[in-house]
Amino acid sequence: MLFKLTGSSCSGKTTLAWSVADRLQQVAVHDFDEVGVPERPDRQWRHRMAEHWVRRALDYQERGIDLLLTGQSPLGEVLAAPSAPLLDGIAVCLIDVADDVRRDRLAVRDAGRWDAAAVDAFINWAAWHRGHAHDPRHRPDVVTNGSWSEMVWHRWTGWTAEDPRWCTHPIDTTDQPVAKSVGQVQRWVTEQRDAHRSGRLPLSHGWPDKPILPTDRRASST
């Protein structure tokens, strides 16, 4: 299955993913951007790459391995990726942090790289993530407008916050030791795996539009 750690920049996604890797069996860890990021990445690029990583997860799935993926694509983008219904299961976790801590981390990690407007954009993106994680009706236009034409938004745009399929687990890393956050991610993965094995994971079944893929599932990054 696909485990996705999402959230705006400097929340701690990559640190947590790699820290938990040695604690879990049959899990491959990757970062969304490791295949290369264009000079001006846009929404359509992010959507195409969401499909790329879903296909990678399918490759791992065939070998009995789960994929733990870090990146900024939220639940709605993962669900709308064309090949998403072929996954045995999908679980998304929002790694979050207080706005002032995010600002401080951006200043330290990328000193001088971002102007005030860019930093505010990261903060606003984080706020949107929180709303989206809670309710699919929260400003879906932020991800659907100007999107890649292959995205299948109707899979979830009619859902409400009460729908059990709409589930993003939040972890707030503010003022929290890394070891504690790592433990929370480990427990989340373990709990989601258990739910999947017992048939309690809502996104393990009920897809209305399972696509048929060619034998070669490798996706282009373009």
Side-chain angles (χ1 to χ4, degrees), residues 41-156:
D42 59 12
R43 195 170 296 150
Q44 292 191 20
W45 171 82
R46 194 173 69 238
H47 295 165
R48 292 195 302 272
M49 295 312 299
E51 170 67 2
H52 167 88
W53 283 111
V54 167
R55 298 285 191 94
R56 288 287 298 275
L58 288 169
D59 289 339
Y60 278 118
Q61 181 173 285
E62 288 185 347
R63 292 146 52 192
I65 299 172
D66 294 326
L67 172 59
L68 177 60
L69 178 68
T70 69
Q72 298 192 32
S73 287
L75 176 59
E77 290 184 345
V78 176
L79 296 182
S83 303
L86 292 170
L87 290 166
D88 289 341
I90 297 171
V92 177
C93 177
L94 174 62
I95 307 299
D96 202 7
V97 71
D99 291 346
D100 58 338
V101 176
R102 194 184 307 274
R103 290 181 187 276
D104 291 343
R105 290 181 181 178
L106 284 166
V108 171
R109 190 191 72 178
D110 303 324
R113 181 178 179 184
W114 311 111
D115 60 18
V119 173
D120 286 344
F122 285 123
I123 300 300
N124 291 337
W125 180 227
W128 180 87
H129 264 283
R130 296 177 196 120
H132 179 78
H134 175 69
D135 192 336
R137 296 166 296 185
H138 175 75
R139 293 291 311 276
D141 58 291
V142 169
V143 291
T144 61
N145 284 0
S147 66
W148 181 38
S149 61
E150 299 298 315
M151 297 294 273
V152 191
W153 301 112
H154 69 77
R155 287 181 185 145
W156 60 266

Side-chain angles (χ1 to χ4, degrees), residues 209-220:
D209 58 343
K210 279 203 172 187
I212 298 175
L213 290 181
T215 302
D216 184 0
R217 285 177 172 156
R218 290 172 297 178
S220 167

Side-chain angles (χ1 to χ4, degrees), residues 1 3 24-27 64-66 88-89 188-202 204-205:
M1 61 183 289
F3 295 96
L24 301 167
Q25 295 183 339
Q26 297 298 100
V27 172
I65 299 172
D66 294 326
D88 289 341
W188 169 70
V189 171
T190 300
E191 289 168 358
Q192 295 304 301
R193 279 178 153 178
D194 289 344
H196 174 254
R197 290 175 184 136
S198 64
R200 293 179 289 109
L201 191 69
S204 295
H205 49 76

